[in-house]
Every structure is written in structure tokens, then in C-alpha cells.
Amino acid sequence: MTQFMFQTPQALREALGKQQYIASDEIATILFLSNQLDKPLLVEGPAGVGKTELAKAIAGATQRELIRLQCYEGLDETKALYEWEYAKQLLYTQLLRDKLQETLSGITTLSEAADRLAQEEDVFFSDRFLLQRPLLRAILSEKPVVLLIDEIDRSDAEFEAFLLEVLSDFQISIPELGTLSARHIPLVVLTSNNTRELSEALKRRCLYLFIQYPTLEQELAVVRLKVPELSADLARQAVELVQRLRKMDFRKAPSISETLDWAKALVKLNASMLDENTLQTTLSILLKHENDLQRARKLIKQDQPLRDERRINRWPEDR
Amino acid sequence: MEQRIVQFISALRNSGVRVSLAESEDAFHAIRLMGVQDRDVFQMALRSTLVKDFHAIPVFDELFPLFFGHNQPPVGENVLQNLTPDELEMLAQALEQLAQRWRNLLDRLMEGDQLTDEELAQLAMLTGLQNIDQMRYREWMSRRMEQSIGLSKLDEALEALLELLEAMGMEMEKQQELKAAFQANARALSEQIRQYTGEQIARQISEQPPEAAQNEVYQRPFHALSEKDMEVLRKDVKRLASLLRTRLALRRKRAKNGRLDPKSTIRHNLRHQNVPIVLKFRDRQLKPRLVVICDISTSMRYCSELMLSLLYTLQDQISKTFAFAFIHDMEFVSPYFSGRTVQEAVREILVKNPSGYYNTDLGSSLETYVKGYFDTLDSRTTFIVVGDGRNNYNDPRIDLVEKINRRARQLIWLNPEAPHLWGSGDSDMLKYAQWCDLLLHVRNLSDLTAAIDRLLT
């Protein structure tokens, strides 16, 4: 019932294209599979290759609400799942004081009063006072949603363990209310930058998609789509330079989002060609470390082709 | 097909990719859904369900074509079809005059036929392919099989043949054509052999029985470990680390209830008209910073390797690690760990510092450290030495250890040598001991794990 309207990966791919997301066959196929199998999708890859963007695009393509949970160190259940709204509970007890006295009137012993009060306990631990956090919201939503759990590798190991119940059975246990099952199974996308190993248990429950830096043609297509004002020639030159920079051993290689920022900057500056001056002034949009910047500047100034230095790479070069 | 997939999964497992039962079930679901018509889609479906680690993707990509390949290596062309009857005659004569050992080879290449299954099986038998169960021997085995059908002598044979043909007066152009055709056929054959060896080895990998658990290896002293035991331990470091991590994280979480934090409490209770309903506590747990100095001389190698592996697998529980390795001089080895798996990094460090006779010299190593890297040490940092304190009668530089001790939060020494040997021969352990806050005897991996658990708290 929660499966979306696309019958084939190709249809999904076109729909993503309409959301201005250029998906490769691999991305479309695996995303399609993840939906058909009702399995969460774990997306890994270098920073800035469009992992989060993918979740947004799929939400747009299926016209579902996107619920986002940004992970960070120290994130716990009360911020991810639910919290009782203590202040509101307190307020209600104050306001309902008269009513309470009425309920308890005519009772003489303490234990009897406690019993009577216990009957009304449900009022205070009901949905009314439950503050829904992203996970609970995704589970209880009336309509199917897309749940994005962003940068899961930043959260603690125990939070990961806590996610397991949500991801495999799509249900949440709340001690006071019992187990809440999902009305619609959400489409779950987890992203990770691989700053630490995720647990096997979590990986087992997900499908795995690794997004690599795009090829020249793919990246060019993205730039042409997102920054149509940039002339075709200039766009190609710019993307070629970025691709060359990526091959170098920088502390942080420029990502697609940085390429886009740069392309936009070139438009704003009315640049007609990539001359040295333009490059020197705008290069800081691509490279964010002073060392990298200086090295790149030096290399461009000498106008020597950037050497393919041996690269200490977090990610496999090619697959 | 299902049988093939099961074999594939078992080959993946035996090549070190962890695939659980649930994941293989997913793979079958996915394939039922996507079908097997499109090879690329089929590959993606398998990959996304079976491989959850980008380090394992190359392994998958290597094995996949061996199980689900086209099985159709390129067919060579018939050399003879472009020749005129005269030229055919010439070729036949030339071949006749060639030495026997070259003639067999050229005869085989002439038609451009592939090797039959029986021939391949025979070759495999001859070269002992059935005993190989590691992919890294693939190229070697292919070469041996090529050698045994004489493919390696092709250049020589061709040269001899062309010489004869030249003498008989064949056109130059025709000769070159012939040569190219022979070479193309040879390439097709070697491609077929490569494919065959790959498939065979993959099958043998998939048929290996799963390794039995060896608990006893944890208890075995470092000096008694064989390379094979180390393989087992290396694989297990990850599991140990996750065990440690859970323990550490829990401890850290529980420890949050430190002192009351009045400022934060007031801030949080503004909405309750400053009635302190929610109490806030100070979170004083800081993740440790470490400087680790490892002796990687032959006697200490395994211990140091496991120590580094464990520490780097636990990086998320540590705020910063500076790792150094020494034999006769200190080297900063942290950069090796960026972008590699821990095992690759350690291997590279060991390749850079090969075993052999070395003059272990902690004293001058410490001097290098204090001169070049002393800024890595501050009052929050724990300084760890993994070594046996045997200095080959060099100056132990106790003064430097004292200096380090005064600056660091604590100085911990892990020594795999039994305490009664400390101070004997060239051991300076007892002199160093006075400046250690903690001196632990780590005989085996269990001890090491316990030691790390202790120092990260």
C-alpha cells in the first residue's frame, strides 16, 4: 500500500529528473529496490555528492512529506523519538485542580484516593502530552512520508542500536503507551560520511548505495541543469578543472555542491572565460583549506597541468 | 541459478566479506523482483543487498564476473582464411621446418580454436590449480598454465617462422598480418585461461569450510603467535573493538550525572517560574587524547600491530590519537591511517620498516619525539608506550621520560615481557618504571583489550 507509483526504475529516474536530480541507473535501481522490499536505504559517499539531496528529490518526486532527523553526538531518544510535555502536564494538573478535588471528594482513606487517581492516570499519559519527535512523527503520520536520517555516523553507537527496532519492524515501544506500529511504512534514507564504522546489525537491515564523485559528463549535466545561465563552454571548462582538482591530494576535495556554488559565482561575476584573475579570486569557493588553496594557486599560476599525485583517498578511486 | 548465487555468496564470505543469512535472503527477494535478464540490474541488486561496506565493493566486483560472467572469452580468428593457396603452401613448408616444440604451439593457434574443457582440466591438473584457494594466485596460475602450453614462447616461435617465410619470399605485409593474427589468437587463449583460472579459484574459495572459532588464540602469548593466528586475530579486532566501544560509551553516558550545573539548571527552569523541576548536571567526561609510541621491532611487532588496530578502530571514542612507531628512530605514523583501513595502514608501516636486524633505540627515538613532536603532548594527553624496554645498551634517556611524565596527564607502559625478566640483560624497564603511572604486563590479546579498556576510561 505504501509502494509508490513507479513501476520501473526508469520511471523513478525520470521522476527524479523532474526534481532536478540527475540519478544514475544505479541510484534509481537501488532506490526502487529499497521501496519494493520495504527496506531502509543506507547511502554512503564523500561529502557533497548529493546524498541528502537524493532524499529531498525522492520526497518531491513522490509528493511525500520529508521528515528529517539530523544526527549528532549525544542525540538520544528524547530528541529523536518522543518526550512527555512536562510543562503542559503540570499546567493541566493546576487547571484541573478543582475537577480533581471533585473526583476525589467523599474519599476518606489515602489508598482509596490513590486508586481513584490511578483510574484517571491515562489522561496524563496520552497522545495529548506526547511531544512527537521526527521518528515518531514518521511512524504515526497519516500519509506516507520520506524519513531522512542524516549523518547517522555522527550519532553514538547506542543510538544506532535503538534505531534497529524502528528500521526493521517500523514500530516504536513507548513504556506508557505500548507499541506503536507504523500506519504507512515510510521510505527511510540514511546517510553516512563514514567517519566511523556502522554496526553490522544496522547495515544488515539496510540496502547499501555508494555514491561516488560523478564523471565529467554527469557533473556537467548537473551544472547545466542547476545553473543554466552559465554558458556551455565555460561550464565545461569549470567542470574539467574541478575534476582535475579532485585527482589531487587535497585535504578536502571539492564536492558537487561546491562546483555549483562556484558556477553560480562565475555567473554573478559575469565571467566569460576562466582567466587567471577569475580563478585566483574565486578558487576559495572550491577549496576550503588554506594549504589546499595555496597549492592549487601555485599550480594554476605556473600553468602546469595538475599532476596526478598519489592520492591518499578515503574512497576507492574507481569501481 | 540459485545454486550459483549461493556459491557466489559463500565465495564472498570466504574472501572476507561479511554476509549474513538475512542479507542473502534479501538478495534472493531482490532478484525475484528485478529478474536476471539485465546483467547490470542483476549486479546492482546483488551488490546493494550483499555488500554494506565500500571496502568490500572491489572484492564483489572482482568475483561477480567469475560467477556470472559471459563465459564466452573472445574467439580467435582463423589465420588461414586470408591466405592464397601459394602462401598456404609456404606456411605449411615453413611449419614443417620449425622445431617440434614451436610447431605444436603454432598449430594450435592457427585455427583460432579455444581450449576444450578437457584440455583446460588437464592443464589445471598439471599445474596444480585445484590446490589454490586464494585469488591473489590467479595471475600466477594463469601464467603457469600458459607456460605449459608454450604460450610464453610465442615470440620466439613467430620470429623463427617469419624468418623462414621471409626466406621463401612471402610479402612483408602478409607476414605482418600473419604475425598479428597469431598474436590475437594467443591473446584470446590467454584470456580464456585467465577466465578459467579465475572461475576455478572462485569455486574453490566458495567450497572452503567456514573457519572454526578459535578462542584459545586470544590467550596465546604474542611471541607464540603464528602468521595464521594473526590472520584470525586481525579479523577479530573489529569485533573486540565494538565490544569495547559499547562498554566505553555506556560508561561515559552513565557518568554524565556529575556535579550539578546551576547555570544550566536556572536556564532550563525559567519556564517553570524558576522552580527547579529539571536538574541539569555538568557533563565532565572528556574523550581522552592519546600519544602512542609503538616498538615495531620483530619481537614486538604483533603486539604493536594489534594495539594500533584496536586504537584506530576505536577512533570515535578518542578525541585525538598521535601514533608513533620506532625501532632505531621515531616515525610519525598517524598519516598512514588517513584514508586506509587500519590493516592496510599497519601493513604499509611494516613494509616501510622491514624486519631484520635493527638496533632498537628508545632513547634516541624519544629525543626525536621531544625535539619534533613535543607539542602533541599536553596535560590532557595520555602517553602510552608499547615496548619491552630493551635498549641494546643504548642510553635509556630517563630524563626525557621524566620530562614527558611531568607534561602528560599520565604515562602508561604496556610491556609484553614477563616481569621477572625486567631489568635483566639490556632491559631498562626498571629504570623507566619509576616514571610510569601505570605499568601493565600484556601477554596476549585479552590482556591488551583489558589494558585499552582501562586507559580509555
Side-chain angles (χ1 to χ4, degrees), chain B residues 367-378:
Chain B
E367 197 178 324
T368 314
Y369 172 77
V370 171
K371 264 191 194 145
Y373 303 100
F374 209 36
D375 57 333
T376 54
L377 200 65
D378 60 25

Side-chain angles (χ1 to χ4, degrees), chain B residues 110-126:
Chain B
M110 197 121 70
E111 308 277 344
D113 288 339
Q114 295 182 3
L115 294 164
T116 60
D117 287 348
E118 289 94 74
E119 281 174 316
L120 281 171
Q122 257 177 2
L123 277 177
M125 201 67 136
L126 210 63

Side-chain angles (χ1 to χ4, degrees), chain A residues 9 25-27 29-30 32-33 36-37 39 42 44 73-74 76-77 86-87 90 157-158 194 196-197 200 203-210 310 312-316 319, chain B residues 18 20 22-23 26 29-30 33-34 41 44-45 47-49 51-55 57-58 61 238 245-246 249-250 253 256 271-272 277 287 313 316 335 338-340 348:
Chain A
D25 276 335
E26 188 181 7
I27 294 177
T29 309
I30 295 177
F32 177 77
L33 208 54
Q36 293 288 321
L37 295 175
K39 289 223 153 223
L42 172 63
E44 272 192 352
E73 211 175 308
D76 57 6
E77 296 96 299
Y86 301 113
L90 217 64
E158 69 260 24
N194 205 35
R196 72 177 169 86
E197 281 281 309
E200 299 294 356
K203 285 180 179 173
R204 203 176 65 218
R205 284 166 173 79
C206 303
L207 295 190
Y208 183 76
L209 170 65
F210 185 88
R310 194 179 60 86
I312 303 177
N313 200 343
R314 261 202 92 78
W315 309 102
R319 318 197 260 114
Chain B
R18 200 205 42 78
S20 73
E23 279 163 331
D26 287 345
H29 279 309
L33 205 68
M34 306 301 293
V41 171
M44 283 176 223
R47 188 163 65 203
S48 64
T49 45
V51 177
K52 306 292 169 70
D53 185 352
F54 72 91
H55 291 300
I57 289 176
D61 287 347
K238 236 163 95 178
R245 174 182 299 125
T246 330
L250 261 181
K253 196 175 174 195
K256 267 180 191 164
R271 59 175 166 180
H272 311 308
I277 292 172
K287 290 184 175 175
T313 319
D316 57 323
S338 82
R340 292 197 188 77
E348 190 147 330

Side-chain angles (χ1 to χ4, degrees), chain A residues 31 34-35 38-43 55 58 64 67 135 138-139 145-150 163 166-168 170 184-191 205-207:
Chain A
L31 191 58
S34 131
N35 180 252
D38 278 337
K39 289 223 153 223
L41 179 66
L42 172 63
V43 189
I58 187 65
R64 296 179 180 187
I67 297 179
L135 283 182
I139 292 278
V145 295
V146 176
L147 172 63
L148 166 64
I149 303 180
D150 214 3
L163 269 182
V166 182
L167 294 185
S168 59
F170 297 103
H184 302 277
I185 293 183
L187 182 74
V188 186
V189 179
L190 299 103
T191 75
R205 284 166 173 79
C206 303
L207 295 190

Side-chain angles (χ1 to χ4, degrees), chain A residues 282-294:
Chain A
T282 55
L283 211 55
S284 57
I285 300 174
L286 284 177
L287 299 169
K288 308 285 169 68
H289 278 285
E290 187 54 33
N291 273 353
D292 295 353
L293 209 56
Q294 274 170 8

Side-chain angles (χ1 to χ4, degrees), chain B residues 143-187:
Chain B
R143 224 163 28 245
R144 278 187 59 172
M145 283 174 68
E146 283 172 19
Q147 265 166 12
S148 59
I149 58 166
L151 218 50
S152 50
K153 297 203 196 72
L154 179 70
D155 285 343
E156 260 176 84
L158 272 180
E159 206 169 301
L161 180 70
L162 290 184
E163 225 165 75
L164 283 170
L165 288 175
E166 176 80 49
M168 288 176 194
M170 191 183 262
E171 290 166 42
M172 197 62 191
E173 207 170 295
K174 222 42 188 197
Q175 283 183 32
Q176 290 307 321
E177 231 171 73
L178 260 182
K179 187 176 169 188
F182 271 118
Q183 280 170 342
N185 284 355
R187 270 198 301 278

